[in-house]
């Protein structure tokens, strides 16, 4: 069985939303430190607010993720057919905030590449509060004002020898009933190959480790272990991929130091992943290797729909934009009854690693 995840409607509002966003007055001209001219679209937050609150972490995070989105999209476009560019869909949310979703679909190099920025605020619904409390957050109140800004990306390549990558970096604020404001960061980057090239995996992990080591030598081993545990498809008893780093509820130092760590991690995505695309995008492959890629994507879908925190939070949020939440799903995926790779094959080698995660560096 092959399932096609169409992801329709992602670009319908592109021209109107971006054009409407450009109607800024002279009073809203941004200083050089807040230059947005190269971004994929106008930021979600009005320019007047960006200027007034330029030192606020909410603004700093929005500017960071808009820049990361642009840098990553341009890097991917450089690996794609020149005629294939990202569709840019700038959207708004009636309950507060909005986002910028960028998607390439059915390209030569990327079957589906999505890079989504969301900057939303409003009242945290009861289900989301309950989910956070289950993670140990001591939140006072039932429906609480919140702010969330994040970037999330999943890249599904056309060639089975190019791995899928996912990254997500986010900032969260909640104001409790007593007026106390809580904040934290979360995120990570992880790799899901269809065929195991150990040199590629070592490069990926080494690049993430360098970013972590700039701040604390203990971060990489801690967050690598957390990644292996988080991306477990427990009903299959296997990992989604070969890991990377993952962290949540990060507030270990000052807000500024925490932000700098997240910035280093986000900036490590391009050097960790794009060289793998360059190396393998033109590798020859067989129809059997394509079938295996589709089967592995099915497992990817299972994790994202059953376990992923970001998906659950998005679906619990009033006014959620479903197209952007489910952007992570591939265009095509496949399930076969009781499929198991033959012993001694490259597919069996990958499966063994997914069932028994290892240290790569």
């Amino acid at each position: 069985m092959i399932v096609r995840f169409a992801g329709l409607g992602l670009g319908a509002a592109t021209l109107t939303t971006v054009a409407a966003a450009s109607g800024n007055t002279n009073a809203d001209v941004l200083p050089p430190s807040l230059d947005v001219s190269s971004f994929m679209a106008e930021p979600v937050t009005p320019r007047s607010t960006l200027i007034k609150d330029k030192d606020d972490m909410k603004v700093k995070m929005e500017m960071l993720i808009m820049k990361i989105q642009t840098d990553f999209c341009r890097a991917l476009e450089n690996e794609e057919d020149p005629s294939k560019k990202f569709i840019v869909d700038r959207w708004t949310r009636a309950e507060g905030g909005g986002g910028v979703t960028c998607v390439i679909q059915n390209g030569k190099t990327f079957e589906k590449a999505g890079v989504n920025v969301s900057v939303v605020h409003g009242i945290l619904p009861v289900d989301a509060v309950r989910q956070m409390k289950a993670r140990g957050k001591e939140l006072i109140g039932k429906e609480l004002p919140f702010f969330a800004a994040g970037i999330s990306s999943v890249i599904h390549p056309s060639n089975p020898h190019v791995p899928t990558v996912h990254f997500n970096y986010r900032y969260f604020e909640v104001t409790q009933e007593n007026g106390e404001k809580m904040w934290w960061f979360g995120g990570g980057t992880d790799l899901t190959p269809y065929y195991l090239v150990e040199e590629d995996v070592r490069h990926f992990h080494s690049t993430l480790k360098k970013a972590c080591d700039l701040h604390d030598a203990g971060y990489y081993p801690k967050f690598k272990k957390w990644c292996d545990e988080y991306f477990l498809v427990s009903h299959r008893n296997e990992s989604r991929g070969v890991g990377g780093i993952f962290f949540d509820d990060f507030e270990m130092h000052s807000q500024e130091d925490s932000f700098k760590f997240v910035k280093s991690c986000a900036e490590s995505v391009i050097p960790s992943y794009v060289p793998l695309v360059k190396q393998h995008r033109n590798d020859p492959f067989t129809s059997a290797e394509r079938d295996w890629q589709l089967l592995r994507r099915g497992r990817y879908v299972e994790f994202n729909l059953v376990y992923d925190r970001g998906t659950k939070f998005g679906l619990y949020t009033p006014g959620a934009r479903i197209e952007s939440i489910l952007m992570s799903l591939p265009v095509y995926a496949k399930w076969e009854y009781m499929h198991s790779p033959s012993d001694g094959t490259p597919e069996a080698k990958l499966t063994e690693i997914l069932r028994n995660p290892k240290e790569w560096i």
Side-chain angles (χ1 to χ4, degrees), residues 112-187:
K112 187 177 183 184
V115 192
N116 185 57
V117 159
S118 61
V119 181
V120 299
H121 55 86
I123 301 299
L124 200 63
V126 173
D127 286 340
V129 173
R130 185 181 300 117
Q131 191 179 43
M132 289 180 180
K133 286 182 176 178
R135 300 204 325 254
K137 287 292 180 188
E138 297 180 2
L139 299 176
I140 302 172
K142 293 184 178 180
E143 294 188 352
L144 308 174
F146 81 97
F147 170 89
I151 181 169
S152 180
S153 176
V154 177
I155 309 303
H156 294 293
S158 302
N159 193 311
H161 297 287
V162 179
T164 281
V165 76
H166 158 261
F167 73 92
N168 176 296
Y169 292 98
R170 55 196 178 273
Y171 173 70
F172 215 95
E173 283 187 4
V174 177
T175 303
Q176 306 196 76
E177 283 185 350
N178 62 6
E180 179 185 354
K181 186 173 291 185
M182 299 181 68
W183 62 266
W184 62 91
F185 292 87

Side-chain angles (χ1 to χ4, degrees), residues 191-263:
L191 194 71
T192 302
Y194 306 99
Y195 287 90
L196 186 65
V197 180
E198 297 201 9
E199 182 181 351
D200 291 349
V201 182
R202 284 193 292 270
H203 164 81
F204 182 79
H205 277 267
S206 295
T207 307
L208 299 185
K209 183 178 185 299
K210 288 177 184 176
C212 291
D213 286 352
L214 292 172
H215 303 270
D216 190 314
Y219 283 171
Y220 171 77
K222 178 179 180 179
F223 298 148
K224 191 269 184 189
K225 182 175 184 292
W226 199 343
C227 186
D228 289 341
E229 294 170 349
Y230 178 75
F231 288 106
L232 176 67
V233 186
S234 57
H235 64 273
R236 297 285 191 180
N237 193 32
E238 63 184 31
S239 297
R240 190 175 76 173
V242 293
I245 58 172
F246 175 85
F247 57 92
D248 208 352
D249 303 320
F250 187 81
E251 49 184 357
M252 297 177 68
H253 301 291
S254 70
Q255 193 178 59
E256 186 64 27
D257 286 344
S258 298
F259 172 73
K260 289 178 180 178
F261 169 63
V262 168
K263 182 173 183 287

Side-chain angles (χ1 to χ4, degrees), residues 27 32 63 83 118 121 123 127 151 157 167 189 195 199 204 209 231 277 288 299 310 317 321-322 326 334 339-340 342:
M63 294 297 287
S83 65
S118 61
H121 55 86
I123 301 299
D127 286 340
I151 181 169
F167 73 92
T189 308
Y195 287 90
E199 182 181 351
F204 182 79
K209 183 178 185 299
F231 288 106
V277 178
R299 303 295 172 89
T317 303
R321 192 167 193 275
I322 302 302
L326 299 182
K334 184 175 181 177
H339 182 275
S340 181
S342 300

